[in-house]
């Protein structure tokens, strides 16, 4: 009796699966009609073609920009123009640098200035504490 009941349940389950697959097959058939796989493949090929063309164009533009920015002549012309302008307005950097003081700045003057500044701040603080 149990064997027959189990066999009946299995048959019912297989029948349910068959009905479900029938519905899924109909749905897939309807989607294939709407999607038209041949048309989709054509669209995909066109997309790939356009993508490859865009990649080549991007690479060409990048190379052109790199070539424009790496132009050493532009740097030389800029430097020459800068020197010419400085000469015209009378700026002679070399002569001004030769007159500049040379050597180290002594730290003693700094200490005196900083200690007098500290002393002044301490006096002001003391005045604030004792009104």
């Amino acid at each position: 009796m149990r064997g027959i009941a189990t066999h009946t349940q299995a048959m019912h389950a297989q029948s349910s699966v068959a009905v479900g697959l029938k519905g899924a097959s109909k749905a897939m058939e309807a989607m294939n009609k709407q999607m038209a796989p041949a048309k989709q493949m054509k669209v995909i090929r066109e997309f790939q073609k356009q993508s490859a063309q865009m990649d080549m164009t991007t690479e060409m533009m990048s190379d052109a920009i790199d070539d424009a920015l790496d132009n050493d002549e532009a740097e030389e012309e800029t430097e020459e123009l800068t020197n010419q302008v400085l000469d015209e307005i009378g700026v002679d950097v070399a002569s001004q640098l030769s007159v500049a003081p040379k050597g180290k700045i002594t730290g003693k003057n700094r200490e005196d200035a900083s200690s007098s500044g500290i002393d002044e701040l301490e006096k002001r603080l003391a005045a604030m504490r004792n009104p």
Side-chain angles (χ1 to χ4, degrees):
M1 217 36 173
R2 284 187 188 170
I4 294 173
T6 305
H7 187 63
T8 305
Q9 285 178 346
M11 286 178 55
H12 185 320
Q14 287 176 351
S15 175
S16 296
V17 170
V19 170
L21 286 175
K22 182 179 177 184
S25 294
K26 285 183 180 179
M28 289 177 67
E29 184 180 344
M31 285 304 296
N32 275 341
K33 285 180 182 176
Q34 287 181 357
M35 295 295 290
K39 185 178 179 183
Q40 291 297 322
M41 284 304 297
K42 184 178 178 183
V43 169
I44 290 171
R45 281 191 205 112
E46 182 65 25
F47 177 79
Q48 289 173 339
K49 178 181 168 186
Q50 292 295 326
S51 179
Q53 186 177 5
M54 185 180 72
D55 288 343
M56 285 188 282
T57 303
T58 302
E59 186 176 340
M60 288 173 50
M61 291 299 293
S62 178
D63 289 345
I65 289 172
D66 288 345
D67 289 345
L69 295 178
D70 289 340
N71 194 353
D72 290 336
E73 293 177 12
E75 289 180 27
E76 292 174 6
E77 290 176 12
T78 304
E79 188 174 333
E80 289 176 14
L81 185 60
T82 304
N83 290 335
Q84 181 182 2
V85 168
L86 291 174
D87 289 343
E88 288 177 4
I89 61 173
V91 175
D92 187 13
V93 177
S95 67
Q96 290 178 356
L97 288 177
S98 65
V99 179
K102 297 175 183 167
K104 295 182 179 179
I105 298 175
T106 59
K108 191 174 187 180
N109 292 340
R110 285 187 195 166
E111 289 176 11
D112 292 341
S114 65
S115 65
S116 65
I118 291 173
D119 292 340
E120 183 181 333
L121 288 174
E122 287 177 353
K123 288 177 186 176
R124 289 175 59 190
L125 182 61
M128 292 173 130
R129 287 183 181 165
N130 301 323

